């Protein structure tokens, strides 16, 4: 990997995943039993439906519906329960409390990334509370604290701009004082993260823990530990 001065990170799929209890509850209301062990993979299976092959505005509703379809496919929902499962899952995914499960190993991996000496910032499509949530979970914060100290947390709910709009990435670059060529952006949804980073002139890196994005035209890593190792080399 070419020299990197700054790493910008998404939150969903990097530090947070859907809470298992909330998801299992949604499926239970649809009279479906699922194995918690497969729920993290189901999220990343859903991200494969956020493809880069679109023009104009991001077709969010279409891609989100495809995400949920892939999610329940991965969970093995029987055909006669699909409609109910989709309805209850969609309702659950609209709640703020859903995206609170800390990705196992991500705080430790972030410390390894921080040890490489790169500047670190966060760019997330969120609801305005992501900085506080990550601080409370002792994952990261701006300034001193119990988590890793990062330079900035750019939350779309605060700044009023959402990915893949390049302006949200430029806000982070300005906060870090680096140029696009000096940075990489790590996210998990190609249509939002890869497209958005490229629009901003930043090299994208896709988080792909299960190797589900074969064929995509960008660098991939399975964890932040892998990213830290690449940067160190």
């Amino acid at each position: 990997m070419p020299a990197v001065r700054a790493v910008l990170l998404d939150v969903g799929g990097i530090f947070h995943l859907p809470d298992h209890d909330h998801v299992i509850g949604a499926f239970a209301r649809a009279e479906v039993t699922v194995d918690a062990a497969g729920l993290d993979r189901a999220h990343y299976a859903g991200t494969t439906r956020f493809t880069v092959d679109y023009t104009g505005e991001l077709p969010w509703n279409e891609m989100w519906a495809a995400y949920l379809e892939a999610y329940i496919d991965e969970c093995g929902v029987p055909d006669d329960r699909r409609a109910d499962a989709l309805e209850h899952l969609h309702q659950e995914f609209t709640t703020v409390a859903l995206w609170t499960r800390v990705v196992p190993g991500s705080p430790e991996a972030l410390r390894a990334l921080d040890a490489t000496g790169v500047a670190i910032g966060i760019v997330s499509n969120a609801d305005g509370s992501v900085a506080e949530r990550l601080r409370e979970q002792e994952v990261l914060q701006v300034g001193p604290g119990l988590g890793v100290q990062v330079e900035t947390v750019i939350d779309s709910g605060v700044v009023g701009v959402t990915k893949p709009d390049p302006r949200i990435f430029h806000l982070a670059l300005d906060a870090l004082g680096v140029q696009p060529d000096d940075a990489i952006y790590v996210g998990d949804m190609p249509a939002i993260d890869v497209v958005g980073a490229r629009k901003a002139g930043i090299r994208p890196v896709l988080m792909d823990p299960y190797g589900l994005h074969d064929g995509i035209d960008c660098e991939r890593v399975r964890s932040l530990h892998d990213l830290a190792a690449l940067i160190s080399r």
Side-chain angles (χ1 to χ4, degrees), residues 17-18 20 23 27 34-49 66-76 89 93 210 212:
L17 286 169
H20 287 178
V23 174
F27 277 121
V34 296
D35 184 354
L39 295 182
D40 290 351
R41 182 184 174 99
H43 163 74
Y44 293 105
T47 67
T48 65
R49 305 301 177 91
Y67 169 96
L68 293 177
E69 291 277 1
Y71 196 104
I72 68 170
D73 285 344
E74 189 67 29
C75 292
L89 201 62
F93 268 71
Y210 297 94
L212 302 177

Side-chain angles (χ1 to χ4, degrees), residues 152-163:
T152 188
V153 176
I154 306 295
D155 182 328
S156 66
V158 174
V159 301
V161 184
T162 61
K163 300 177 297 181

Side-chain angles (χ1 to χ4, degrees), residues 24 73 168:
I24 290 170
D73 285 344
I168 193 170

Side-chain angles (χ1 to χ4, degrees), residues 15 27 35 53 59-60 76 103 148 153 165 188 221 230:
F15 298 109
F27 277 121
D35 184 354
D53 57 350
W60 169 261
V103 174
V148 170
V153 176
D165 190 319
D188 68 331
V221 292
L230 285 172

Side-chain angles (χ1 to χ4, degrees), residues 128-210:
S129 66
V130 74
E132 181 64 17
R133 194 175 309 130
L134 289 166
R135 184 192 66 79
E136 290 176 350
Q137 292 172 327
E138 301 178 7
V139 175
L140 60 86
Q141 72 288 317
V142 177
L146 297 176
V148 170
Q149 183 171 332
V150 300
E151 298 295 326
T152 188
V153 176
I154 306 295
D155 182 328
S156 66
V158 174
V159 301
V161 184
T162 61
K163 300 177 297 181
D165 190 319
R167 291 177 296 170
I168 193 170
F169 297 94
H170 291 153
L171 290 172
L173 294 173
D174 290 345
L176 270 63
V178 298
Q179 296 300 311
D181 288 346
D182 296 324
I184 61 174
Y185 181 72
V186 185
D188 68 331
M189 290 189 170
I192 298 171
D193 299 319
V194 173
V195 170
R198 283 178 171 159
K199 284 182 177 180
I202 301 169
R203 188 164 79 253
V205 176
L206 187 66
M207 182 62 69
D208 186 15
Y210 297 94

Side-chain angles (χ1 to χ4, degrees), residues 11 19 43 106 122 155 199 206 222 229:
V11 174
D19 177 76
H43 163 74
S106 61
I122 303 298
D155 182 328
K199 284 182 177 180
L206 187 66
R222 289 181 177 261

